[in-house]
Amino acid sequence: MRKLVLPEKGAEILFDVRDENVRLLESLFDVKISARGSQVTIEGQPQDVDSVEQIFVDFGNLVEEGVEFSNGDLRDALRQIAQRSAQGLRDLFPKKIVVRTPLREVVPRSNNQVAYLERIEQLDLVFGIGPAGTGKTYLAVAMALSRLLNKSVGRIILARPAVEAGERLGFLPGDMQEKVNPYLRPLYDALYDMLDAEKVQKFIERGVIEIAPLAFMRGRTLSNAFIILDEAQNATAEQMKMFLTRIGINSKAVVTGDVTQIDLPAGQESGLVESIRILKGISEIGFCYFDHRDVVRHRLVQLIVQAYEKA
């Protein structure tokens, strides 16, 4: 039997209305947990009690540091610790970094996401490489908006290769904006999640935010801007070199992609893969790698990514 005391706020969060978190811990670690106020008693095999005690200690410390938990996030974290996908809550709820946007505060939820934001802050060119759902694009858009609104940059440029149509979009109906919108929709979605729709539209109309296919970057110098190239695994080698040499004075660029989902024709090397190989020795360029532990979508996405990694 082990006894410990949680901070009052931590006890309220952990022992929610239906004690779901506690019941989950009991089932995952084969222990019996009871509480009287903030005092918690844990009974079970020593190894299991040690594991649960460490969870409680980390949890109490994180609460006192101001980390906010949603029940869904906490339950997913407990399962990962039980499955040995994470060592402890500290791995899954790292030190608090907040990126403030008008509609929400964006907080990294893994150590890799923290490192990603830190490198974006420190360096002018950062690559975010990893599977779907790891927050690569979302966090980059949050950083871009934050820097735009505090006037660190004068505009945001968001680009994607329109690879499915070979960047020859004439056969699609509508004007040019309507032709490319299907390929750029995920970038719009991230913006609308953080900024009022009317404000997004005004910024786009004024050219403060530009969302365009990668091919439209050719011949330009992108100065005083936060530039994001998304889905970069579908850029050709020529397009990637073209994009990287567009970066101008007082600009910051983030390149995101998943090297396991390349849609280029067979035999054509991804520009992202080539650029990683060529640029990895340059210390002023940051490379951040994500895996299934960083997935922040539905828990099934994490399991799917993990299964593909094993295969």
Side-chain angles (χ1 to χ4, degrees), residues 154-157 201-210:
R155 56 183 172 153
I156 296 172
I157 299 170
Q201 195 57 43
K202 284 183 179 178
F203 277 159
I204 291 173
E205 289 170 0
R206 288 164 46 200
V208 175
I209 295 177
E210 179 182 351

Side-chain angles (χ1 to χ4, degrees), residues 162-183:
V163 68
E164 293 85 353
E167 304 217 35
R168 292 185 292 273
L169 306 170
F171 69 90
L172 293 173
D175 61 21
M176 182 53 65
Q177 196 63 46
E178 291 169 328
K179 292 175 192 294
V180 302
N181 272 353
Y183 304 101

Side-chain angles (χ1 to χ4, degrees), residues 2-299:
R2 204 79 49 84
K3 292 184 179 181
L4 62 153
V5 177
L6 286 176
E8 187 174 334
K9 184 180 178 183
E12 290 174 1
I13 296 169
L14 197 61
F15 293 87
D16 60 354
V17 177
R18 295 185 300 275
D19 286 352
E20 290 180 359
N21 298 319
V22 173
R23 302 287 81 81
L24 178 61
L25 270 173
E26 289 180 328
S27 65
L28 291 172
F29 292 94
D30 193 24
V31 295
K32 175 66 177 173
I33 301 170
S34 56
R36 177 174 295 177
S38 297
Q39 183 170 297
V40 179
T41 301
I42 311 165
E43 299 178 71
Q45 294 298 316
Q47 184 176 352
D48 297 324
V49 171
D50 288 344
S51 297
V52 174
E53 181 182 27
Q54 189 58 54
I55 289 171
F56 281 143
V57 169
D58 287 347
F59 179 78
N61 290 336
L62 288 167
V63 167
E64 290 187 329
E65 290 168 17
V67 175
E68 296 180 2
F69 296 86
S70 75
N71 267 339
D73 290 344
L74 183 56
R75 284 195 284 272
D76 281 346
L78 297 178
R79 290 189 185 95
Q80 290 185 57
I81 295 168
Q83 294 163 2
R84 302 292 188 265
S85 296
Q87 294 297 314
L89 287 176
R90 285 274 177 198
D91 289 343
L92 299 164
F93 296 92
K95 65 181 180 180
K96 192 172 184 181
I97 295 178
V98 178
V99 183
R100 289 180 171 84
T101 66
L103 295 186
R104 64 177 64 244
E105 291 185 342
V106 178
V107 181
R109 290 166 54 182
S110 73
N111 287 325
N112 285 335
Q113 290 183 355
V114 169
Y116 183 52
L117 291 183
E118 289 177 340
R119 287 181 187 168
I120 291 174
E121 189 66 40
Q122 296 161 1
L123 302 171
D124 288 337
L125 176 58
V126 174
F127 287 75
I129 304 142
T134 50
K136 306 181 301 294
T137 303
Y138 193 84
L139 291 171
V141 171
M143 288 290 283
L145 270 177
S146 176
R147 291 182 72 85
L148 176 69
L149 296 174
N150 70 21
K151 297 182 171 37
S152 297
V153 297
R155 56 183 172 153
I156 296 172
I157 299 170
L158 307 172
R160 261 190 167 204
V163 68
E164 293 85 353
E167 304 217 35
R168 292 185 292 273
L169 306 170
F171 69 90
L172 293 173
D175 61 21
M176 182 53 65
Q177 196 63 46
E178 291 169 328
K179 292 175 192 294
V180 302
N181 272 353
Y183 304 101
L184 306 173
R185 190 75 250 170
L187 298 172
Y188 283 101
D189 289 344
L191 281 172
Y192 287 132
D193 201 37
M194 302 177 208
L195 190 62
D196 180 78
E198 186 176 338
K199 191 80 169 175
V200 172
Q201 195 57 43
K202 284 183 179 178
F203 277 159
I204 291 173
E205 289 170 0
R206 288 164 46 200
V208 175
I209 295 177
E210 179 182 351
I211 306 177
L214 174 58
F216 287 23
M217 300 298 110
R218 192 173 298 278
R220 301 174 61 185
T221 299
L222 306 176
S223 300
N224 192 30
F226 196 115
I227 314 151
I228 299 172
L229 174 58
D230 192 36
E231 296 289 335
Q233 75 274 6
N234 290 327
T236 64
E238 293 79 9
Q239 287 173 332
M240 180 62 75
K241 182 180 178 183
M242 177 272 292
F243 172 80
L244 294 174
T245 54
R246 299 307 92 201
I247 303 170
I249 301 299
N250 191 41
S251 284
K252 190 175 288 283
V254 178
V255 178
T256 71
D258 178 359
V259 295
T260 69
Q261 295 195 42
I262 298 171
D263 298 318
L264 291 169
Q268 186 170 23
E269 185 177 26
S270 162
L272 176 60
V273 173
E274 182 189 67
S275 64
I276 294 169
R277 184 176 69 249
I278 292 172
L279 304 176
K280 63 184 178 182
I282 301 177
S283 60
E284 290 88 352
I285 299 175
F287 292 90
C288 297
Y289 295 89
F290 300 88
D291 58 32
H292 67 273
R293 290 168 294 187
D294 303 299
V295 171
V296 292
R297 292 180 184 167
H298 192 288
R299 182 169 169 267

